[in-house]
Amino acid sequence: MKPEPHHEIAALLRTQQPDPEPSPGLEARILRELDRRQQRKPARIWPWLVFPPAFAALVLVLTQQRPELKETEVADLPVKIEEEKAENLLVEQNPLRQESVALGRDARRAGRFLIDCLPFAGAAER
Amino acid sequence: MLARLAREGSSAAFGMLVRRYHVRVFAFLLALTKQRQDAEDLTQETFLRAWDKFHRYDPAQPLLPWLFTLARRQSIAALRRLKPLPPELPEVAAAEPTHAALRLWELARCELAAETYSALWLHYREELPLKEVAAILGKREGAVKVMLHRARKALSERCRGPANFSQPPPLPEPQGFLP
């Protein structure tokens, strides 16, 4: 077998080797950390077992305590539409005035429509 | 046997493995990091990692190279989140080695790059074959061979010929903790 180059260095390195020692407490430190980690694992499981049923029970209790809404209370009340002051737009001098009144009406109608579209809390129970 | 038990989840068996191997893992990490405190912290992290990932260990293979591989990965991860050490850390004054071989090891520690020194450590101290050294360091076998050759050459030149091996030149100023 071909000797490795600078074999005298290799031989010298093999004759005696350093033996570094760690701090005396290192082994205990590792084992302690290991124990701590093992104890921590089951502690992570119990919140998953406890919290979801507790949350569900809370929701159930809250929904049962809420007062029943009467049928006519919110949804079926006729929406009062305020009467607009009658204006004689035909004799209005400013032509933009008609436009602004028309746009204002459109905006109010669209707003009312969007509000009517919003779901309300008791909709699902009905 | 112990490794097999530890793989099945026996913490007692794993404790025995810690007792058996922690010094050698620490020594390898010291070669890699050249910092005593870092090496101790990384030894702890390596064993905790080993416990978490023991199901990936192949019991047909020797355990120590697997631990060395984990240790090296831990040291790389630690390097990524490296915070510079305070400059005025109290250093422990170590006795100067008297034996020529120990002086040569000390010279290697001070002169060689950490990766080269760790390759030297694994091959000459742990007596691992080149193939395993390469696997641990994540390199090809040829690259490790070249690295070791250059290390021996550098040390040989530093010692200025075989006649001076009994008394290698004075060591440079130590840069970290002595093992």
Side-chain angles (χ1 to χ4, degrees):
Chain A
M1 190 181 155
K2 194 180 155 190
E4 48 190 5
H6 309 289
H7 61 93
E8 59 285 342
I9 291 286
L12 193 57
L13 287 172
R14 282 192 178 111
T15 53
Q16 196 172 350
Q17 290 118 345
D19 228 355
E21 286 289 327
S23 306
L26 180 62
E27 184 193 328
R29 202 174 98 186
I30 295 168
L31 294 176
R32 205 168 45 239
E33 183 60 30
L34 205 66
D35 277 349
R36 208 162 63 87
R37 188 173 281 208
Q38 278 182 309
Q39 282 167 6
R40 211 164 43 195
K41 270 187 184 167
R44 278 187 199 152
I45 295 168
W46 72 262
W48 290 103
L49 297 175
V50 171
F51 285 132
F55 181 73
L58 186 73
V59 169
L60 202 67
V61 168
L62 286 178
T63 49
Q64 281 174 352
Q65 280 179 353
R66 203 167 57 82
E68 284 290 321
L69 286 176
K70 284 178 189 170
E71 286 295 309
T72 54
E73 210 168 10
V74 179
D76 298 339
L77 281 178
V79 178
K80 281 186 182 176
I81 300 169
E82 286 177 15
E83 290 285 328
E84 284 178 4
K85 220 187 274 179
E87 289 180 81
N88 193 356
L89 294 172
L90 293 174
V91 293
E92 181 64 49
Q93 293 296 312
N94 185 0
L96 291 177
R97 174 74 184 147
Q98 294 179 26
E99 286 294 319
S100 71
V101 169
L103 285 172
R105 280 180 191 150
D106 284 349
R108 274 194 296 278
R109 277 192 207 111
R112 211 175 297 136
F113 171 74
L114 288 174
I115 288 168
D116 288 346
C117 285
L118 286 176
F120 78 100
E125 288 168 14
R126 300 170 65 204
Chain B
M1 181 64 186
L2 278 176
R4 208 177 287 273
L5 285 173
R7 195 169 180 268
E8 285 162 11
S10 162
S11 57
F14 190 75
M16 299 278 279
L17 291 175
V18 171
R19 195 159 300 131
R20 185 179 290 179
Y21 290 121
H22 79 283
V23 175
R24 290 169 81 178
V25 171
F26 164 77
F28 169 61
L29 281 165
L30 188 61
L32 209 54
T33 61
K34 300 190 178 184
Q35 292 282 340
R36 203 175 168 78
Q37 190 57 51
D38 289 351
E40 289 195 353
D41 291 346
L42 286 171
T43 306
Q44 178 179 327
E45 283 177 34
T46 300
F47 277 103
L48 294 177
R49 185 86 179 156
W51 176 247
D52 287 342
K53 303 286 171 193
F54 223 108
H55 58 278
R56 291 191 190 170
Y57 165 65
D58 177 8
Q61 303 295 321
L63 180 67
L64 197 59
W66 185 70
L67 287 175
F68 284 154
T69 309
L70 284 184
R72 183 179 155 272
R73 285 187 194 146
Q74 289 298 113
S75 76
I76 290 170
L79 265 180
R80 287 203 185 118
R81 53 173 193 265
L82 184 71
K83 291 175 193 164
L85 288 169
E88 287 116 19
L89 268 182
E91 295 213 348
V92 180
E96 199 166 304
T98 51
H99 194 278
L102 293 181
R103 286 177 67 83
L104 189 62
W105 273 107
E106 186 54 26
L107 186 68
R109 194 183 72 82
C110 298
E111 292 281 315
L112 301 177
E115 195 173 46
T116 312
Y117 181 63
S118 57
L120 206 72
W121 182 272
L122 290 172
H123 190 56
Y124 292 110
R125 174 69 182 82
E126 292 294 343
E127 295 175 353
L128 293 177
L130 287 176
K131 196 178 169 186
E132 279 189 6
V133 175
I136 290 166
L137 296 180
K139 290 186 176 297
R140 282 184 302 174
E141 197 176 331
V144 173
K145 213 169 178 177
V146 170
M147 198 190 276
L148 290 176
H149 171 74
R150 285 182 183 156
R152 287 194 303 268
K153 192 179 172 193
L155 289 174
S156 176
E157 281 169 5
R158 190 77 173 79
C159 293
R160 291 188 207 100
N164 289 341
F165 283 150
S166 55
Q167 284 186 334
L171 294 171
E173 286 297 309
Q175 294 166 350
F177 285 100
L178 294 176

